[in-house]
Amino acid sequence: MAEKEPGNGSPPLEHKPPVYGEEGEGNGHRSLPTRFLDSFKRDPAQHATPRGSIGGDGRIFDLEGAAAATASSPLARKLKGRHLQMIAIGGSIGTGLFVGSGSALAKGGPASLLIAFALIGIMLYSTVHALGEMAVLYPVAGSFAAYSTRFLDPAWGFAMGWNYAMQWLVVFPLEITAATITIEFWTTTLNKAIFVTIFWVAIVAINLFGVRGYGEAEFVFSMIKVIAIIGFIILGVILTCGGGPQGGYIGGKHWHDPGAFNHGFKGLCSVFVTAAFAFAGTELVGLAAAETANPRKSLPTAIKQVFWRITLFYIVSLLLIGLLVPFNDPRLLNGASSADAKASPFVIAIHNAGITGLPSVMNVVIMIAVLSVGNSSIYGSSRTLAALAEQGQAPKALAYIDRKGRPIIGIAIASLIGLLAYLAASDKQNEAFTWMLALSGLSSIFTWGSICLAHIRFRKAWRVQNHSLDELAFRSQPGIIGSWMGFSLNCLVLIAQLWTGFAPVGYAEMTAAERTKNFFEAYLAAPIVILCYVGYKILYRTPFMRSRDMDLHTGIRELNIDALLAEERAEKAAWPAWKKVYKFFC
């Protein structure tokens, strides 16, 4: 919408306040403490929610106002291409791969491990490309939750936004507690509360440096994780071929004894669920689009590199794990928690080879992975809460964004909930965190399914409103077929989780109370999402978005997209063949 010129009834523009992150006249002479305190004040140049618009709290959901609010969010655009690429490559690599893959191997065997992770990888490849197509075109605050509001139903956007925010709010104290458990690998004499304090302060401090602090920290964390996995892959190939200290060719003997599968089809379904959780956080690359300096150029590159992360870091490393560790190794199920390095198949494989020293190095990597997820949890929850507030789907105070582009109220709430990590020092730790984790257990599945469905509906609206695919700055490689496949696989994972929650492996030996508890631990998130959706739908009578009514214009980043695309295509035409192949995949 065009801005009013001075003299047309609008106030004069001579005394324009400084934009967040910039110094106004005379600011350079103020003391450092004064500038630090002033940075927490609301950005005076912008408002998270446009004045006069009616949000969800007005019993009439203002779709145009919601789209405009997320498009004009004053979040700082300070993430660079290298930050986004490392978030895409290594951002979500955590305990799901390093430790959780061990229990998955024990439940399903090495073949189930590979099949499940490959299928979930295909699903994520399609999902991230769908997200990339929309995020490059609409790099708005809140990303996928905002797309659900715009392309599906505002009530579903509300449910998805709060579902996603709740997931990350709960994950923060869980990951801090997990980080303290990694310390027990070396010592059990010190009080856990000491390390809870150290880790909590470190993660909160990183996020107080704004999106640039988050980006730099993730760049370093991801680099360490990537180097560790590449190192393990090289070591794993050597050990499999018999080059370890103890010698002896291993090859595929563990696929024959004890075997490739365990617990049949139910074992495979159990691994599906673990694999889905191991990939959680992949979608953060889309959330970061609103804070990227040039999402049109850096986001497609980051999205394409997800393929290599899935193939190289998950599939290849898990293939080697299945070759080096038999699924009946009792250590795989003896972990005290999801962060216990003693139950990590990576550590077990190194132990089995008779190598000393490296298990401690791998435990350091696991601790860094846990802290990386904790860092992402504050980032993900605070940005999602701010976007919900901007759309009128959360208290307006959460939309407070300071002069450095930080959603400071959201960061404060996430930090306060993180203090629940002090339960690590109590005897109620396991019970409390089991139910907290159950609240967010299916969050990623709902989020990924919503992204695929929003992309399907977006493409339908794009066609109905007479737009061509040539107008898209970035086009999903698997396209609409990939989104349908991703949506279908998400639905299958939900069904598999329902089955394994209702009748888990070994359920015949469980009591009725144990089976009921197991089901709600696995599926508690589903009724909460449904309750949020139905309640909001009834209260605000939101419409299902029809293709012809969807707003496809608010929030598009570039104004002269045709000229920019023509320039890029001319540049690509001059590339040599090897570069065209490289850029297709990277």
Side-chain angles (χ1 to χ4, degrees), residues 221-238:
F221 289 156
S222 296
M223 187 72 75
I224 293 170
K225 290 186 283 185
V226 166
I227 291 170
I229 292 177
I230 292 173
F232 176 81
I233 288 172
I234 295 170
L235 176 65
V237 171
I238 293 170

Side-chain angles (χ1 to χ4, degrees), residues 64 121 259-260 266 285 309 317 358 382 409 419 464:
E64 289 186 16
K266 184 173 286 187
V285 68
R309 193 194 76 202
S317 63
L358 272 184
S382 62
I409 303 297
L419 295 175
V464 168

Side-chain angles (χ1 to χ4, degrees), residues 310-387:
I310 292 170
T311 304
L312 182 63
F313 300 148
Y314 283 85
I315 305 302
V316 175
S317 63
L318 291 174
L319 171 63
L320 291 168
I321 286 296
L323 293 173
L324 293 170
V325 183
F327 71 70
N328 59 358
D329 191 312
R331 290 170 293 180
L332 291 171
L333 296 174
N334 284 345
S337 78
S338 62
D340 191 347
K342 298 185 191 73
S344 168
F346 291 81
V347 173
I348 293 170
I350 295 168
H351 266 305
N352 289 350
I355 301 173
T356 58
L358 272 184
S360 284
V361 174
M362 187 55 68
N363 190 59
V364 171
V365 173
I366 292 170
M367 183 176 69
I368 288 171
V370 167
L371 293 176
S372 172
V373 176
N375 185 37
S376 296
S377 66
I378 291 189
Y379 177 82
S381 60
S382 62
R383 270 62 182 180
T384 306
L385 288 172

Side-chain angles (χ1 to χ4, degrees), residues 269-579:
C269 288
S270 299
V271 180
F272 265 124
V273 176
T274 306
F277 295 156
F279 281 109
T282 307
E283 69 289 335
L284 276 171
V285 68
L287 194 68
E291 297 178 82
T292 304
N294 190 351
R296 187 177 60 85
K297 284 196 172 183
S298 55
L299 197 57
T301 302
I303 292 295
K304 289 174 185 176
Q305 287 174 350
V306 169
F307 169 80
W308 296 110
R309 193 194 76 202
I310 292 170
T311 304
L312 182 63
F313 300 148
Y314 283 85
I315 305 302
V316 175
S317 63
L318 291 174
L319 171 63
L320 291 168
I321 286 296
L323 293 173
L324 293 170
V325 183
F327 71 70
N328 59 358
D329 191 312
R331 290 170 293 180
L332 291 171
L333 296 174
N334 284 345
S337 78
S338 62
D340 191 347
K342 298 185 191 73
S344 168
F346 291 81
V347 173
I348 293 170
I350 295 168
H351 266 305
N352 289 350
I355 301 173
T356 58
L358 272 184
S360 284
V361 174
M362 187 55 68
N363 190 59
V364 171
V365 173
I366 292 170
M367 183 176 69
I368 288 171
V370 167
L371 293 176
S372 172
V373 176
N375 185 37
S376 296
S377 66
I378 291 189
Y379 177 82
S381 60
S382 62
R383 270 62 182 180
T384 306
L385 288 172
L388 286 168
E390 286 168 352
Q391 297 178 98
Q393 294 175 329
K396 289 184 179 179
L398 293 171
Y400 184 102
I401 296 174
D402 67 18
R403 296 184 183 189
K404 294 295 182 183
R406 299 169 297 201
I408 204 69
I409 303 297
I411 291 174
I413 289 174
S415 302
L416 288 172
I417 292 177
L419 295 175
L420 288 172
Y422 282 103
L423 285 170
S426 78
D427 56 353
K428 296 291 183 182
Q429 167 195 333
N430 290 338
E431 188 176 348
F433 287 116
T434 294
W435 289 107
M436 285 174 66
L437 191 59
L439 286 172
S440 61
L442 294 174
S443 174
S444 293
I445 309 299
F446 282 112
T447 297
W448 298 335
S450 296
I451 290 169
C452 291
L453 190 56
H455 181 245
I456 292 166
R457 297 295 299 146
F458 159 73
R459 279 286 191 96
K460 175 76 180 298
W462 195 254
R463 189 179 74 250
V464 168
Q465 297 187 28
N466 298 318
H467 290 283
S468 120
L469 294 181
D470 291 334
E471 297 175 56
L472 297 174
F474 170 70
R475 198 184 307 176
S476 165
Q477 286 180 350
I480 201 75
I481 295 173
S483 292
W484 274 115
M485 182 171 61
F487 179 71
S488 302
L489 284 171
N490 274 290
C491 292
L492 287 175
V493 171
L494 284 174
I495 294 169
Q497 177 74 329
L498 179 65
W499 183 37
T500 56
F502 181 74
V505 172
Y507 77 98
E509 289 79 31
M510 299 169 69
T511 65
E514 287 173 337
R515 287 199 295 267
T516 303
K517 182 183 177 185
N518 183 81
F519 174 77
F520 280 107
E521 284 177 3
Y523 229 72
L524 183 60
I528 291 176
V529 167
I530 294 169
L531 188 64
C532 286
Y533 172 69
V534 173
Y536 198 89
K537 187 78 175 173
I538 293 171
L539 192 60
Y540 297 112
R541 299 184 292 280
T542 57
F544 294 107
M545 298 308 299
R546 299 174 67 87
S547 301
R548 64 173 182 269
D549 299 327
M550 291 180 194
D551 178 5
L552 299 179
H553 302 287
T554 303
I556 290 182
R557 185 76 178 274
E558 289 85 9
L559 297 176
N560 195 359
I561 191 74
D562 293 336
L564 289 167
L565 286 174
E567 183 183 334
E568 279 190 5
R569 289 188 185 114
E571 182 186 343
K572 289 176 182 177
W575 287 347
W578 68 267
K579 192 171 183 180

